[in-house]
Amino acid sequence: MEFVSGPVTDPVVESIRHALGDRIVPFTHTEARLAAQLFNAVGRRRALRYDCMIAAAAIAADAELATRNAADFRLFVPHGLVLAV
């Protein structure tokens, strides 16, 4: 959601999907519940809603989160998020 909301074209989105293949993590009820728990745990700030969803997807997938905005996601580390180094 966040990626495709940015200034990207359809061909760029398709090339990323092709590169990632089956490693795209679906956002299901499990991730939604975890995102809500994270939202409540980190202060219920509206600006963090998408970050909570991203962090929840990574936590649920037992995956490290690679991001250029590591500072934005550090508050989720105590709740199980692992940031890629």
Side-chain angles (χ1 to χ4, degrees):
M1 167 72 182
E2 188 174 51
F3 174 73
V4 296
S5 295
V8 295
T9 62
D10 287 340
V12 170
V13 171
E14 286 309 311
S15 67
I16 296 298
R17 286 186 189 183
H18 178 71
L20 292 176
D22 63 350
R23 294 177 289 165
I24 296 173
V25 177
F27 195 83
T28 67
H29 181 68
T30 300
E31 289 80 11
R33 289 183 65 186
L34 181 53
Q37 291 170 354
L38 291 172
F39 182 74
N40 289 317
V42 299
R44 301 184 51 83
R45 293 190 316 249
R46 185 179 181 119
L48 293 176
R49 289 184 313 167
Y50 287 127
D51 290 350
C52 289
M53 294 169 70
I54 293 166
I59 293 168
D62 197 27
E64 294 181 6
L65 178 66
T67 178
R68 292 186 68 179
N69 300 316
D72 291 352
F73 289 92
R74 283 195 180 91
L75 71 159
F76 300 108
V77 170
H79 303 283
L81 181 65
V82 177
L83 293 173
V85 185

